[in-house]
């Protein structure tokens, strides 16, 4: 009896892998589009069998050669740290991000004493280059801190209450406020990171477009995405909330968000469509 059960179990397992192979070879496009009914009809299998095979496909390592790669961990050292000071969030330069550079005063003195002749003019030039380098580094640090503090001052609610309180913000606003060029703000916020109680974020994370509220106000796209994430996380597994329903819930909260915009943001968040969530299928990234 035990042998018969083992044989039956092995046959079922082979059947699952066989079906998974058929889906992978001939129906990946349908799978990507979540056309489960099409796969079911062509393969003539039950919902349970189709879902079981799909879960096998999901469990596969799609890049098996990666295990032979030696991936070096890239650590992020935040350029600035945000702290609460007298009930207000402010930024300061992270000491660990500062380059360990300084001018050797003894050598600088020797250079100054011996660079008067033409033969030693090169020493004078090198001394000037060293001073300009240190000056540029200090200027860079000052600019990063100015930009960061301007961003932090406009996003106080985010640091206090989270992503749903992110305010709409564009590069032009910061540029005008600090009397800097937009390209400078773009450069300063690219690959520059901020550390706060909510984690580590690239400075560009704090810029987002705006959507209109029912009362005529505005809300950032980042905040809307956070609200969508919250709505989906609270749904009943066997009755997932559709994009239209999410749009209605957002409207009841005072946010005018079109269904197609909800769909766009849901996909950006890698949240599967309703039928996929109902069947418990993870997102495809």
């Amino acid at each position: 009896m035990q042998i018969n059960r083992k044989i039956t179990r092995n046959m079922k397992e082979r059947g699952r892998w066989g079906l998974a192979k058929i889906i992978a070879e001939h129906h990946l496009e349908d799978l990507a589009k979540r056309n489960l009914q099409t796969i079911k009809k062509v393969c003539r299998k039950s919902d349970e069998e189709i879902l079981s095979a799909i879960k096998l496909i999901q469990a596969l390592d799609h890049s098996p050669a990666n295990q032979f790669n030696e991936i070096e961990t890239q650590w992020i050292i935040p350029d600035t740290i945000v702290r609460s000071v007298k009930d207000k969030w402010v930024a300061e330069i992270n000491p660990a991000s500062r380059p360990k550079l300084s001018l050797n005063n003894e050598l600088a003195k020797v250079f100054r004493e011996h660079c008067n002749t033409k033969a030693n003019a090169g020493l004078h030039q090198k001394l000037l280059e060293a001073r300009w380098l240190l000056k540029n580094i200090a200027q860079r640090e000052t600019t990063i801190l100015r930009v960061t503090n301007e961003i932090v001052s406009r996003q106080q609610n985010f640091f206090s209450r989270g992503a749903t309180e992110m305010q709409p913000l564009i590069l032009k606003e910061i540029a005008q406020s600090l009397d800097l060029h937009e390209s400078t703000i773009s450069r300063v916020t690219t690959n520059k990171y901020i550390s706060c109680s909510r984690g580590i974020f690239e400075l560009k994370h704090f810029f987002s477009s705006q959507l209109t509220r029912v009362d005529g106000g505005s809300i950032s796209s980042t905040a809307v995405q956070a609200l969508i994430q919250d709505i989906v996380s609270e749904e009943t597994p066997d009755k997932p909330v559709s994009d239209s329903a999410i749009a209605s819930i957002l409207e009841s909260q005072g946010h005018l968000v079109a269904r197609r915009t909800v769909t766009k943001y849901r996909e950006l968040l890698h949240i599967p469509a309703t039928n996929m969530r109902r069947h418990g299928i993870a997102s495809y990234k």
Side-chain angles (χ1 to χ4, degrees), residues 75-81 92-98 192-196 199-201:
W75 297 98
I76 292 176
I77 300 177
D79 299 271
T80 53
I81 299 173
E92 59 186 44
I93 291 294
N94 179 11
S97 70
R98 285 192 173 113
K192 305 296 187 302
Y193 294 86
I194 188 172
S195 175
C196 63
I200 296 177
F201 303 91

Side-chain angles (χ1 to χ4, degrees), residues 183-229:
S183 62
T184 300
I185 305 301
S186 178
R187 184 172 63 254
V188 168
T189 55
T190 301
N191 295 324
K192 305 296 187 302
Y193 294 86
I194 188 172
S195 175
C196 63
S197 58
R198 299 189 177 278
I200 296 177
F201 303 91
E202 187 179 14
L203 284 177
K204 280 199 180 296
H205 175 76
F206 298 94
F207 295 90
S208 61
S209 57
Q210 68 177 31
L211 289 86
T212 305
R213 284 179 46 82
V214 175
D215 59 9
S218 62
I219 183 173
S220 72
S221 57
T222 302
V224 171
Q225 290 180 47
L227 290 171
I228 291 173
Q229 184 81 64

Side-chain angles (χ1 to χ4, degrees), residues 84-134:
S84 178
V85 179
K86 296 181 180 179
D87 297 326
K88 183 180 179 181
W89 296 98
V90 295
E92 59 186 44
I93 291 294
N94 179 11
S97 70
R98 285 192 173 113
K100 304 299 187 289
L101 295 175
S102 62
L103 191 63
N104 188 310
N105 292 324
E106 292 299 321
L107 280 179
K109 182 180 178 181
V110 172
F111 279 20
R112 284 195 302 270
E113 292 174 350
H114 295 84
C115 66
N116 296 323
T117 65
K118 289 184 178 180
N120 293 322
L123 293 177
H124 179 64
Q125 182 61 32
K126 294 300 181 183
L127 181 59
L128 288 178
E129 290 176 1
R131 285 174 173 164
W132 270 107
L133 175 61
L134 293 176

Side-chain angles (χ1 to χ4, degrees), residues 16-277:
R16 289 176 68 209
W17 281 110
L19 179 56
K21 183 179 179 181
I22 291 173
I23 294 174
E25 289 180 346
H26 305 289
H27 303 288
L28 274 184
E29 187 173 347
D30 287 322
L31 184 57
K33 293 179 179 178
R34 282 72 162 170
N35 294 332
L36 299 189
Q37 292 304 315
T38 300
I39 299 175
K40 177 183 173 183
K41 183 178 179 180
V42 174
C43 296
R44 297 181 180 180
K45 298 292 183 179
S46 66
D47 287 342
E48 183 181 354
E49 290 172 307
I50 295 295
L51 292 174
S52 179
I54 290 175
K55 287 180 178 179
L56 280 179
I57 295 173
Q58 289 181 309
L60 296 174
D61 184 352
H62 297 277
S63 302
N66 282 345
Q67 61 181 303
F68 300 105
N69 290 338
E70 292 186 5
I71 301 175
E72 183 179 350
T73 302
Q74 298 293 321
W75 297 98
I76 292 176
I77 300 177
D79 299 271
T80 53
I81 299 173
V82 175
R83 292 191 174 94
S84 178
V85 179
K86 296 181 180 179
D87 297 326
K88 183 180 179 181
W89 296 98
V90 295
E92 59 186 44
I93 291 294
N94 179 11
S97 70
R98 285 192 173 113
K100 304 299 187 289
L101 295 175
S102 62
L103 191 63
N104 188 310
N105 292 324
E106 292 299 321
L107 280 179
K109 182 180 178 181
V110 172
F111 279 20
R112 284 195 302 270
E113 292 174 350
H114 295 84
C115 66
N116 296 323
T117 65
K118 289 184 178 180
N120 293 322
L123 293 177
H124 179 64
Q125 182 61 32
K126 294 300 181 183
L127 181 59
L128 288 178
E129 290 176 1
R131 285 174 173 164
W132 270 107
L133 175 61
L134 293 176
K135 182 179 179 180
N136 288 338
I137 290 174
Q139 181 61 44
R140 171 186 177 275
E141 186 177 284
T142 299
T143 303
I144 290 175
L145 188 58
R146 286 183 66 203
V147 172
T148 302
N149 265 315
E150 186 63 25
I151 293 172
V152 171
S153 70
R154 293 166 181 262
Q155 299 292 4
Q156 292 284 309
N157 289 341
F158 166 83
F159 295 103
S160 298
R161 297 193 284 274
T164 56
E165 297 294 328
M166 185 81 82
Q167 298 300 305
L169 185 63
I170 57 176
L171 295 174
K172 186 177 180 179
E173 293 178 63
I174 302 297
Q176 290 178 340
S177 179
L178 299 178
D179 195 24
L180 295 171
H181 196 277
E182 233 177 288
S183 62
T184 300
I185 305 301
S186 178
R187 184 172 63 254
V188 168
T189 55
T190 301
N191 295 324
K192 305 296 187 302
Y193 294 86
I194 188 172
S195 175
C196 63
S197 58
R198 299 189 177 278
I200 296 177
F201 303 91
E202 187 179 14
L203 284 177
K204 280 199 180 296
H205 175 76
F206 298 94
F207 295 90
S208 61
S209 57
Q210 68 177 31
L211 289 86
T212 305
R213 284 179 46 82
V214 175
D215 59 9
S218 62
I219 183 173
S220 72
S221 57
T222 302
V224 171
Q225 290 180 47
L227 290 171
I228 291 173
Q229 184 81 64
D230 288 345
I231 291 170
V232 172
S233 66
E234 294 174 1
E235 69 184 7
T236 304
D238 58 347
K239 291 187 65 176
V241 187
S242 67
D243 292 347
S244 296
I246 292 175
S248 297
I249 293 172
L250 290 173
E251 184 174 358
S252 71
Q253 297 174 350
H255 314 301
L256 295 176
V257 184
R259 182 202 58 76
R260 63 180 179 275
T261 304
V262 171
T263 302
K264 173 186 172 182
Y265 290 163
R266 174 179 57 73
E267 291 175 347
L268 284 174
L269 293 166
H270 300 293
I271 299 174
T274 309
N275 63 324
M276 301 296 282
R277 302 205 302 277

